[in-house]
Amino acid sequence: MKNFYITTAIYYANGSPHLGHAYEMVLTDVIARFRRLMGDQVYFLTGIDEHGQKVQQSAREKGIEPIELCDEAAVAFKGLCEKLLTSNDDFIRTTEERHKKVVRTLLQKLYDEGQIYEAEYVGYYSTRAEQFLQEKDKVNGEWPEIYGEVTEISEKNYFFKLSEYQDWLIGYLKENEDFIVPRYRLKQVQEFLKEPINDLCISRPKERLEWGIPLPFNENYVTYVWFDALVNYISAVGYGTAEFEANWPADYHVIGKDILVPSHGVYWPIMLKACDIPLPKALLVHGFWLKSGQKMSKSAGEVVDPLDMIDQFGVDSFRYFVTREMNVGQDSEFSSELFFSRYNNDLGNDLGNLLNRTLNMTTRYVDGVVPAIEVEEEIEKELQKSWGETQDEVLRLYEEFQFHQGLEKTFQFIRSINRYAEQRAPWKLAKSEEPKEQSLLKTTLATMAESLRLGATLLAPVMPEVAEKIPQLLGAQTGSASWKQSLEWSTVLTGGKVADKIILFPRPETSG
Ligand code: MSP
């Protein structure tokens, strides 16, 4: 059976990890974990993008070799994966031999077939953007700031016949509207394809750029960094070997909206088509984390270091926050106020207090042993029914990448457990010796424990630690049940011993 294969973008080795990267990793991990829990065999790839001008330049500025800079980046990004509890199966570095080999194979194949040709290029070049420019890229007769210094150059280069595939791609996108998720992002690619596209310059002369993969047919040139980077998605899963068939085509390439056009939406499908390789099933395009309307990144100055937030509030709180706040595809504003509000209200009050109350009352009133449900009245039946609906709805929302709504529904259910407890008021029932009240008390504690176990279990793709810990604290034995089975209302907790009261989400010292 083919694996569900999902990838993140690969991160530039000259930058440090920031919230944007962390979000993309978490989003991809939530999908990977969800699919695994649903029974799929998953292959999850992330990694770093190590070649190119910027890496060469940054290394020079630091007085070190480019590979040393990349080694540092590998440590930093692998560290981020660990901190975030991402369940990636692989981490690719584009300086690895397994990758360089595939890039050279594809280049040679395209060259032999005449799909890559040599030509004299005369025009403008931006070092900062590592890109050739045309007059039409000027704004009011000036080169925009983002291009930095623009020079006129004339040099021989190698070009890939991108333009020959323009009509094919237009047709493909028309027939495969789900190739880009969410669908409204498809328009951006279609818009780009309305103008004739140029062939793609895939080489850089060595005198200008040394840090890259040499062209197999002319060692005086290295490969353009995007042509190199995109290939990671197939080189990592062993293009050319039997292993490849087990993973390819990828199910989703998860990317940010800035790298859809032209790299992932135009270059990549055309490169694959030209090489006779099937296309990935879809690109999942997410939006940006913004701070006061600006994209968050290291160069923009103020950056919230995700690693610090994780150390302070725990990885699950961070994962919850970014998944709960972001509507996949759109942008979201980051603020620490919002973070504290989610942390204190949803996690601290709704979930954390419910756990505490349940542990506390079970310990005080029934010697810490989860009782059996003895009577089921309307109110219990309603809670059970609402669980059934919640579960169906949340799984459906997760299938559609509507994680923020799925979490909202899950927390609505958690809040309804709190309301149930208020209505039953076990602290009052406990005061009575009457058999009816005693029976209701046991029923209430059992119902609270079971519904909390279910709500926590449903959080597993987003909050893996909490989803494991809460059932354990409620005395559940780790069994061999599948996730789907453990989402069924059951009596697994009955007779188990609960743990002592514990604060899962301690109040921050300074909030806000
Ligand atoms: N190296 C290229 C990608 C090559 S993929 C074959 C690159 N690297 S990057 O480090 O600049 O960005 C990596 C990913 O992080 C991209 O998908 C990008 O959209 C995402 N993010 C960077 N800043 C972001 C935010 N502020 N918010 C959300 N994601 C953003 O591009």
Side-chain angles (χ1 to χ4, degrees):
M1 197 180 75
K2 189 192 153 298
N3 291 337
F4 178 91
Y5 177 32
I6 189 161
T7 66
T8 66
I10 50 172
Y11 305 100
Y12 282 133
N14 59 310
S16 314
H18 60 67
L19 179 62
H21 305 140
Y23 168 68
E24 187 172 285
M25 284 183 180
V26 170
L27 169 64
T28 313
D29 186 58
V30 169
I31 301 169
R33 283 177 186 269
F34 175 63
R35 297 280 20 138
R36 269 192 217 104
L37 289 166
M38 295 296 280
D40 289 350
Q41 183 86 14
V42 173
Y43 199 80
F44 169 13
L45 171 72
T46 188
I48 54 172
D49 186 355
E50 300 178 272
H51 292 124
Q53 193 96 23
K54 283 178 223 146
V55 174
Q56 179 172 299
Q57 242 164 26
S58 301
R60 260 189 207 147
E61 281 159 21
K62 287 186 158 182
I64 55 175
E65 289 300 316
I67 191 65
E68 294 177 64
L69 190 88
C70 295
D71 288 345
E72 286 171 14
V75 171
F77 280 95
K78 281 182 182 169
L80 183 63
C81 290
E82 265 170 45
K83 284 239 167 198
L84 292 170
L85 295 181
T86 57
S87 58
N88 54 301
D89 299 282
D90 196 358
F91 185 101
I92 184 133
R93 300 185 50 176
T94 54
T95 49
E96 285 172 287
E97 196 46 45
R98 60 169 172 163
H99 173 74
K100 295 195 277 193
K101 195 174 73 191
V102 176
V103 172
R104 282 194 294 258
T105 304
L106 295 188
L107 285 168
Q108 188 68 53
K109 174 180 158 70
L110 293 172
Y111 184 71
D112 292 345
E113 291 170 357
Q115 303 206 64
I116 286 176
Y117 61 92
E118 195 182 359
E120 183 79 16
Y121 174 84
V122 186
Y124 302 104
Y125 184 77
S126 149
T127 314
R128 188 186 289 172
E130 286 180 53
Q131 165 183 340
F132 296 99
L133 302 174
Q134 296 171 348
E135 281 294 333
K136 70 172 166 63
D137 296 315
K138 285 186 176 169
V139 177
N140 301 328
E142 304 273 332
W143 297 113
E145 186 66 30
I146 49 159
Y147 295 124
E149 193 193 346
V150 177
T151 44
E152 244 191 301
I153 57 168
S154 158
E155 65 186 25
K156 266 212 178 107
N157 264 310
Y158 290 89
F159 292 83
F160 166 50
K161 291 184 175 170
L162 204 67
S163 59
E164 281 197 358
Y165 292 90
Q166 179 160 7
D167 290 341
W168 163 79
L169 185 57
I170 292 172
Y172 185 85
L173 294 176
K174 208 167 162 195
E175 273 162 37
N176 297 276
E177 291 195 319
D178 292 331
F179 183 63
I180 294 167
V181 182
R183 204 176 275 186
Y184 56 80
R185 293 251 172 246
L186 175 68
K187 301 242 156 40
Q188 262 169 271
V189 183
Q190 287 172 326
E191 209 50 45
F192 181 85
L193 291 169
K194 279 189 180 151
E195 298 283 324
I197 58 173
N198 294 324
D199 286 346
L200 179 66
C201 179
I202 52 98
S203 61
R204 298 292 183 265
K206 272 216 178 129
E207 18 341 322
R208 204 141 54 69
L209 177 64
E210 278 171 55
W211 187 236
I213 303 175
L215 296 184
F217 39 83
N218 189 341
E219 295 277 321
N220 297 321
Y221 291 84
V222 298
T223 313
Y224 169 49
V225 69
W226 271 106
F227 197 97
D228 161 351
L230 287 160
V231 172
N232 91 87
Y233 301 132
I234 59 172
S235 64
V237 289
Y239 172 72
T241 70
E243 185 206 349
F244 188 59
E245 309 298 321
N247 291 300
W248 197 260
D251 290 79
Y252 290 97
H253 291 317
V254 179
I255 56 166
K257 63 179 185 177
D258 57 330
I259 56 171
L260 173 61
V261 180
S263 52
H264 284 81
V266 179
Y267 300 165
W268 185 226
I270 293 182
M271 283 163 68
L272 290 167
K273 172 76 182 163
C275 293
D276 255 334
I277 302 171
L279 265 52
K281 287 192 197 140
L283 308 175
L284 178 61
V285 187
H286 64 76
F288 279 164
W289 280 96
L290 307 172
K291 179 92 186 161
S292 314
Q294 299 286 310
K295 177 184 170 190
M296 295 181 84
S297 70
K298 261 296 193 250
S299 51
E302 205 189 337
V303 178
V304 176
D305 191 336
L307 306 181
D308 287 353
M309 293 172 68
I310 297 160
D311 289 340
Q312 253 179 301
F313 302 105
V315 61
D316 275 11
S317 309
F318 177 80
R319 292 173 60 108
Y320 174 74
F321 174 74
V322 292
T323 317
R324 175 65 187 84
E325 281 304 315
M326 188 71 101
N327 178 343
V328 175
Q330 292 175 17
D331 294 343
S332 198
E333 182 78 18
F334 178 86
S335 81
S336 38
E337 289 77 19
L338 216 52
F339 180 86
F340 288 125
S341 155
R342 289 275 173 220
Y343 180 82
N344 288 331
N345 297 326
D346 303 5
L347 301 181
N349 293 345
D350 298 340
L351 183 59
N353 282 350
L354 172 62
L355 173 69
N356 254 332
R357 285 166 111 184
T358 311
L359 297 179
N360 212 4
M361 292 193 288
T362 308
T363 304
R364 276 178 63 187
Y365 304 143
V366 287
D367 296 329
V369 177
V370 178
I373 291 183
E374 294 190 359
V375 275
E376 266 183 31
E377 294 186 349
E378 204 45 45
I379 174 169
E380 279 78 26
K381 287 189 187 136
E382 252 171 46
L383 194 66
Q384 286 197 27
K385 186 165 157 245
S386 119
W387 167 250
E389 287 161 5
T390 302
Q391 186 199 340
D392 291 349
E393 183 78 0
V394 171
L395 295 186
R396 186 185 63 75
L397 288 164
Y398 278 19
E399 298 268 0
E400 295 168 5
F401 310 119
Q402 300 295 308
F403 300 110
H404 67 302
Q405 282 188 39
L407 288 175
E408 170 55 22
K409 286 265 176 270
T410 309
F411 274 79
Q412 272 172 18
F413 176 72
I414 287 165
R415 283 190 289 272
S416 75
I417 312 173
N418 278 313
R419 274 199 308 277
Y420 164 80
E422 292 299 323
Q423 281 171 304
R424 276 295 189 209
W427 47 92
K428 285 187 194 152
L429 296 170
K431 287 190 183 135
S432 161
E433 299 286 323
E434 293 296 316
K436 167 91 189 295
E437 266 75 17
Q438 281 299 310
S439 212
L440 276 180
L441 173 65
K442 288 183 197 152
T443 299
T444 307
L445 296 175
T447 303
M448 285 172 69
E450 176 60 6
S451 47
L452 172 56
R453 179 191 72 80
L454 291 166
T457 304
L458 191 56
L459 289 170
V462 182
M463 305 181 78
E465 282 192 335
V466 162
E468 200 180 308
K469 203 160 184 184
I470 291 183
Q472 276 171 8
L473 293 168
L474 292 168
Q477 305 292 325
T478 33
S480 57
S482 71
W483 189 54
K484 288 283 288 272
Q485 285 164 341
S486 61
L487 290 173
E488 293 303 319
W489 193 287
S490 73
T491 53
V492 285
L493 295 177
T494 314
K497 184 102 173 83
V498 303
D500 285 340
K501 166 174 166 159
I502 179 175
I503 313 255
L504 275 193
F505 305 101
R507 291 223 160 238
E509 276 153 30
T510 50
S511 60

